[in-house]
């Protein structure tokens, strides 16, 4: 593979790296992979996820791009007052324009973790050039303290319920290693979550549900990748309703990585995520040169 540092955007203020296969002309029928910032983490991605992913996909024959939104990493800030939710989508489109001009790519697969997942979703709804999306541990659906606290409590409660069947969890409880205060807060929240907080949550759900459904019903391949110890999957549970994962269309695949956290900080979890995305992309757009590595997760479901 070969890598080039580039300046993107109308003002050439967005800094990025393009990774391409060596010694071959990129196949313009296969989408270029564009990876988006996870919050304020710069373009290398959490635990170098984007670097690893870009180089892996170049081995498979894909073009891969990682860049920084305005004001992140080495990219200059914007001064036009456009809010981030709108400016982020515009900047992804500007990067797609530039990659098309350089490589001839006509279609794109967007990949984002945390807030980057939501930008991927919004860009897919706005631009028909998006041919696929990898949504990893999505956060930030609504700027609401009540919503954040609500979903966090649901996530912690889910993990406690699951761990109740594990002998090691009972050992931790008996030996005083459990966070008793957090456990008590979670149990109390389940009892007393009605009232004003519940009304706030309903408002958020009403504002998001139709847009999320519209995204999942797009006629493009979508990979939903969740860490078991992250609240991303609880966001989907609360917005779409229990049982949503059993009603996914054939265009949507779901992977849950056991015991992984939000940023895939443990090397084996990062490896599982990369291998799962690799497998998903190569299955949907075949033609890569290398042999697939097993995903190691075991629950890739289409």
């Amino acid at each position: 593979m070969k890598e080039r540092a580039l300046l993107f955007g109308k003002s050439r203020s967005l800094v990025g790296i393009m990774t391409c296969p060596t010694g071959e002309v990129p196949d313009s029928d296969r989408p270029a992979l564009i990876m988006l910032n996870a919050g304020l983490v710069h373009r290398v991605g959490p635990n170098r996820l984007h670097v690893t992913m870009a180089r892996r996909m170049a081995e498979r024959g894909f073009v891969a791009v990682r860049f920084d939104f305005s004001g992140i990493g080495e990219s200059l800030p914007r001064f036009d007052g456009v809010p981030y939710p709108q400016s982020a989508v515009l900047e992804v489109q500007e990067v797609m324009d530039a990659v098309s001009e350089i490589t001839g790519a006509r279609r794109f697969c967007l990949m984002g973790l945390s807030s980057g997942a939501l930008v991927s979703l919004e860009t897919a709804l706005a631009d028909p050039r998006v041919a696929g999306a990898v949504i990893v541990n999505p956060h930030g659906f609504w700027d609401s303290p009540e919503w954040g606290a609500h979903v966090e409590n649901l996530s912690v409660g889910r993990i406690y319920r699951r761990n109740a069947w594990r002998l090691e969890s009972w050992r931790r409880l008996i030996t005083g290693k459990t966070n008793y205060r957090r456990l008590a807060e979670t149990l109390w929240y389940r009892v007393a979550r009605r009232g004003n907080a519940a009304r706030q949550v309903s408002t958020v759900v009403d504002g998001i549900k139709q847009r999320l459904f519209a995204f999942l019903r797009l006629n493009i391949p979508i990979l939903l990748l969740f860490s078991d110890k992250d609240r991303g999957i609880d966001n989907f549970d609360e917005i779409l309703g229990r049982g949503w994962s059993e009603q996914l269309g054939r265009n949507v695949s779901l992977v849950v990585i056991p015991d992984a956290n939000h940023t895939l900080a443990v090397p084996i979890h990062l490896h599982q995520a990369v291998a799962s995305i690799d497998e998903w992309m190569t299955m949907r757009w075949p033609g890569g040169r290398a042999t697939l590595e097993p995903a190691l997760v075991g629950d890739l479901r289409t």
Side-chain angles (χ1 to χ4, degrees):
M1 55 105 195
K2 53 188 176 182
E3 296 189 314
R4 297 172 57 188
L6 296 168
L7 296 174
F8 298 110
K10 294 179 180 178
S11 61
R12 294 179 59 79
S13 62
L14 305 176
V15 179
I17 304 291
M18 178 183 294
T19 308
C20 298
T22 302
E24 62 180 60
V25 177
D27 184 352
S28 60
D29 288 332
R30 303 176 84 194
L33 176 65
I34 298 180
M35 290 162 286
L36 312 182
N37 292 116
L40 297 178
V41 180
H42 109 311
R43 63 180 176 272
V44 301
N47 303 298
R48 294 181 64 81
L49 170 63
H50 296 171
V51 176
T52 304
M53 199 73 246
R55 294 173 181 175
R56 173 71 67 89
M57 298 320 299
E59 292 175 358
R60 307 300 195 224
F62 290 90
V63 172
V65 177
R66 55 192 192 273
F67 79 99
D68 290 318
F69 289 123
S70 293
I72 300 177
E74 297 164 308
S75 294
L76 298 177
R78 297 179 73 101
F79 298 100
D80 56 7
V82 178
Y84 170 77
Q86 288 77 47
S87 69
V89 172
L90 293 174
E91 289 175 3
V92 176
Q93 292 174 314
E94 289 179 346
V95 171
M96 290 194 291
D97 293 340
V99 175
S100 292
E101 185 175 341
I102 295 169
T103 69
R106 300 187 295 269
R107 301 189 299 163
F108 300 88
C109 181
L110 305 182
M111 171 183 156
L113 185 151
S114 195
S115 62
L118 302 192
V119 179
S120 298
L121 183 157
E122 292 296 338
T123 308
L125 288 170
D127 198 309
R129 291 176 295 176
V130 178
V134 180
I135 304 299
V136 186
N137 293 333
H139 280 205
F141 280 94
W142 203 266
D143 184 16
S144 161
E146 291 83 6
W147 173 257
H150 174 66
V151 177
E152 182 64 22
N153 275 291
L154 292 179
S155 178
V156 173
R158 172 176 56 83
I159 293 170
Y160 275 132
R161 289 195 303 275
R162 183 200 61 196
N163 289 347
W165 298 97
R166 296 181 176 180
L167 180 60
E168 179 60 27
S169 297
W170 287 99
R171 286 176 180 158
R172 291 178 62 84
L173 182 68
I174 294 169
T175 57
K177 295 180 180 179
T178 295
N179 186 338
Y180 296 110
R181 180 176 179 179
R182 189 69 183 99
L183 175 59
E185 289 174 348
T186 301
L187 292 173
W188 174 247
Y189 187 80
R190 287 181 60 82
V191 173
R193 60 186 265 192
R194 295 181 177 85
N196 186 58
R199 288 192 293 273
Q200 291 281 351
V201 166
S202 297
T203 300
V204 174
V205 170
D206 291 342
I208 297 172
K209 180 180 290 188
Q210 293 307 313
R211 201 151 186 82
L212 186 51
F213 268 129
F215 168 71
L216 293 174
R217 291 167 180 164
L218 287 174
N219 189 29
I220 62 172
I222 295 170
L223 173 61
L224 303 176
L225 193 151
F226 296 110
S227 295
D228 182 50
K229 289 186 176 179
D230 181 72
R231 68 173 187 253
I233 196 165
D234 301 285
N235 275 311
F236 272 55
D237 283 346
E238 195 65 6
I239 295 168
L240 301 180
R242 297 288 177 178
W244 64 269
S245 62
E246 305 303 322
Q247 303 172 32
L248 294 174
R250 298 187 65 180
N251 63 310
V252 183
S253 301
L254 174 65
V255 168
V256 178
I257 301 179
D259 296 319
N261 67 6
H262 181 60
T263 60
L264 304 160
V266 178
I268 185 60
H269 299 151
L270 185 73
H271 175 76
Q272 290 171 334
V274 170
S276 296
I277 298 167
D278 175 1
E279 180 179 357
W280 177 81
M281 286 198 66
T282 312
M283 287 173 58
R284 273 133 195 89
W285 298 286
R289 296 170 295 172
T291 303
L292 278 177
E293 181 179 354
L296 302 179
V297 180
D299 59 356
L300 177 63
R301 182 165 58 79
T302 303

